[in-house]
Amino acid sequence: MLVAQRVLCAATMRLLLQSLLLLFLLLGSCLHPAAAFPKGCYPSEEAGLKTFRCSNARLTEVPRDIPNDTNKLYLDSNQIPFLPHDAFRDLPLLLELDLSHNAITSVETGAFRGLAEHLHTLDLSSNRLVSVSKDAFSNLKAKVNLSNNPWLCDCRLQELIRAVELAADSSGSIVCDSSAQEEHVGKAFLQVIADTDFCNVYKKTTDIAMLVTMFGWFAMVISYLVYYVRQNQEDARRHLEYLKSLPSKQRHSEESSTISTVV
């Protein structure tokens, strides 16, 4: 009887331990995804689309642990300073990307690599963008919001605007915060380029600079040639004066030699 009780007790303990172990494993699998998310970020589902929200999460960089099946990503109202190369390469199903109200000053070429086929909305409004290469948006088909940034109005911005499709009603808020021409400051960029071709002005300026450089080199060559001729003339004059000071016989011999050398 005692042996049977011991066997039963051991079997019960073993079953209890197995149950506890299974419970811990289940809890761990449930809690792990949430624990991997940055503080202030959470997944949800909106209109059948998988959404990942990190609004007002005090982020200083693009999170790395974003679920790769995310369709809508909100990173707005944070402190992200720049977008590095391949920042979103693991999000092949992303349709909407909101990066508005951050501190973004630069966008590296290739930052949106992998999003060209699916992304249809990109919001970069209310950041600190001054100048961005059009190559950063290469092959991107999304409608882009670039409004409310301190843009430098020049050829680079003109090329960027022509390379992307602007979001509806956002073009009027792309304003010149600075420009080579003071009268453009404070005006909508599309209004400015209606009368000014920044890239054509740049080309003319480059051509003029090249002409000035070529003229400078030409003037230096001419100056050197004039100096060289005058120096030789001066040397010849001094040599002739020297010959005149020699005795007659020696002078004739030296003059013949000089004439022969000159010829």
Side-chain angles (χ1 to χ4, degrees):
M1 186 68 178
L2 183 61
V3 174
Q5 288 179 345
R6 288 180 179 177
V7 171
L8 181 60
C9 184
T12 303
M13 289 295 295
R14 185 164 53 250
L15 182 60
L16 180 60
L17 288 173
Q18 289 176 348
S19 299
L20 288 173
L21 180 60
L22 181 59
L23 179 60
F24 285 136
L25 289 174
L26 289 173
L27 287 173
S29 63
C30 292
L31 295 175
H32 177 71
F37 299 148
K39 185 178 180 180
C41 299
Y42 62 91
S44 64
E45 190 165 322
E46 299 177 6
L49 297 175
K50 292 188 176 181
T51 303
F52 193 73
R53 287 189 175 274
C54 288
S55 304
N56 290 294
R58 298 182 180 180
L59 298 176
T60 56
E61 63 179 2
V62 176
R64 298 181 182 179
D65 298 313
I66 302 171
N68 57 16
D69 59 350
T70 299
N71 303 128
K72 299 171 69 175
L73 176 59
Y74 292 89
L75 298 175
D76 56 299
S77 303
N78 284 289
Q79 300 156 18
I80 299 172
F82 74 101
L83 300 180
H85 181 80
D86 285 336
F88 307 98
R89 66 178 180 179
D90 296 325
L91 303 172
L93 303 179
L94 196 62
L95 302 175
E96 298 181 19
L97 175 57
D98 189 349
L99 290 159
S100 64
H101 297 89
N102 272 280
I104 299 172
T105 58
S106 65
V107 181
E108 291 186 2
T109 300
F112 304 111
R113 188 189 301 274
L115 302 182
E117 295 300 321
H118 302 283
L119 192 70
H120 62 70
T121 301
L122 172 60
D123 193 346
L124 283 166
S125 63
S126 301
N127 276 282
R128 299 176 187 175
L129 295 171
V130 175
S131 183
V132 179
S133 171
K134 65 177 182 179
D135 296 333
F137 299 85
S138 180
N139 300 319
L140 205 62
K141 299 174 183 177
K143 293 181 179 180
V144 184
N145 189 342
L146 299 171
S147 62
N148 299 317
N149 281 280
W151 291 109
L152 166 63
C153 289
D154 60 359
C155 179
R156 204 177 192 204
L157 179 57
Q158 182 172 315
E159 289 180 338
L160 172 60
I161 296 299
R162 289 175 176 174
V164 301
E165 182 180 354
L166 296 177
D169 302 323
S170 69
S171 60
S173 297
I174 301 175
V175 177
C176 300
D177 187 73
S178 59
S179 175
Q181 297 176 308
E182 191 66 29
E183 64 268 23
H184 295 155
V185 176
K187 293 183 179 179
F189 184 69
L190 292 188
Q191 176 188 346
V192 171
I193 60 174
D195 302 316
T196 305
D197 187 339
F198 286 96
C199 295
N200 190 42
V201 170
Y202 175 77
K203 185 177 183 300
K204 287 182 178 178
T205 304
T206 303
D207 291 343
I208 291 172
M210 187 176 295
L211 287 173
V212 170
T213 303
M214 291 176 63
F215 178 79
W217 280 105
F218 182 72
M220 288 177 61
V221 171
I222 294 299
S223 299
Y224 176 76
L225 289 175
V226 170
Y227 170 80
Y228 180 78
V229 170
R230 287 183 177 178
Q231 187 67 29
N232 283 351
Q233 287 178 341
E234 183 66 21
D235 290 344
R237 185 183 64 77
R238 290 176 181 174
H239 190 61
L240 288 174
E241 288 179 355
Y242 168 73
L243 293 177
K244 289 179 181 179
S245 66
L246 294 176
S248 179
K249 194 171 188 179
Q250 185 178 356
R251 184 174 67 242
H252 286 306
S253 174
E254 291 285 347
E255 286 178 351
S256 300
S257 176
T258 301
I259 292 170
S260 159
T261 302
V262 171
V263 172

